[in-house]
Amino acid sequence: LAIMTILADACVFGQAKGGASIKEGTWVWQKDASTNVGSADQLVSRVDVKKDLGNGEWQTCRKEVRVSGMKHDSCWKYKLDGKFYPVTDQVFDQWAIVGYTPTVTLIHVKNTKNNLDQYSMMMYSADGKTTTSHTDGSGNTKNHIVAHYTYKKQ
């Protein structure tokens, strides 16, 4: 978490060259290139669709399936301003972008009903074709979770 705090202090809210963000698009989780330690309910599949809505507002739509059979399918809107925004039908119910550069996004998620409190650092390749994330924090049963996920843009 200390490294993410340092990076959050260095991040500037903004966009990539030409105004278009490499972060927009459909991102598919790559199971064979990902690890998750501490979570009892592992991912089976996940697809995120990220869209810049303009005026500093973004939307993420996520569909995922977990080993338990639990499915999540929802969209949420947020700004790149460090404030928490509500989320429904996910394991977290609050989402904040706490740092942003053209190739890095720092995310803080919480669930106000349990102990889930996690930070993620999403690092996007310069060509915009892959992203890797590192997540660290507590799960909903106070267990420590460390996850490294890779996504490919479709």
Side-chain angles (χ1 to χ4, degrees), residues 132-149:
T132 56
S133 72
H134 172 78
T135 300
D136 197 331
S138 63
N140 55 13
T141 58
K142 293 187 179 180
N143 54 320
H144 186 218
I145 294 190
V146 177
H148 301 277
Y149 291 158

Side-chain angles (χ1 to χ4, degrees), residues 103-117:
T103 58
V104 176
T105 301
L106 300 174
I107 303 164
H108 186 186
V109 298
K110 292 182 181 183
N111 188 318
T112 56
K113 298 174 188 79
N114 61 39
N115 297 306
L116 187 136
D117 189 1

Side-chain angles (χ1 to χ4, degrees), residues 4-19:
M4 289 186 202
T5 302
I6 291 166
L7 285 171
D9 290 341
C11 282
V12 176
F13 292 92
Q15 290 184 319
K17 288 184 197 172

Side-chain angles (χ1 to χ4, degrees), residues 41-113:
D41 200 8
Q42 300 284 328
L43 283 175
V44 173
S45 65
R46 177 186 282 172
V47 176
D48 285 349
V49 178
K50 299 177 183 195
K51 183 171 181 165
D52 183 346
L53 301 175
N55 296 322
E57 187 173 45
W58 280 72
Q59 176 177 279
T60 294
C61 293
R62 174 174 288 172
K63 290 184 181 187
E64 72 178 25
V65 177
R66 300 231 170 215
V67 169
S68 67
M70 185 177 291
K71 296 178 182 179
H72 300 282
D73 184 357
S74 66
C75 297
W76 59 95
K77 293 180 182 177
Y78 51 94
K79 293 190 176 187
L80 311 177
D81 59 7
K83 296 178 184 175
F84 280 101
Y85 290 87
V87 178
T88 58
D89 194 33
Q90 294 294 326
V91 294
F92 50 89
D93 62 10
Q94 294 184 349
W95 165 285
I97 302 297
V98 295
Y100 183 91
T101 72
T103 58
V104 176
T105 301
L106 300 174
I107 303 164
H108 186 186
V109 298
K110 292 182 181 183
N111 188 318
T112 56
K113 298 174 188 79

Side-chain angles (χ1 to χ4, degrees), residues 120-132:
S120 293
M121 179 171 52
M122 304 285 298
M123 297 159 287
Y124 295 80
S125 62
D127 64 6
K129 294 180 181 178
T130 61
T131 183
T132 56

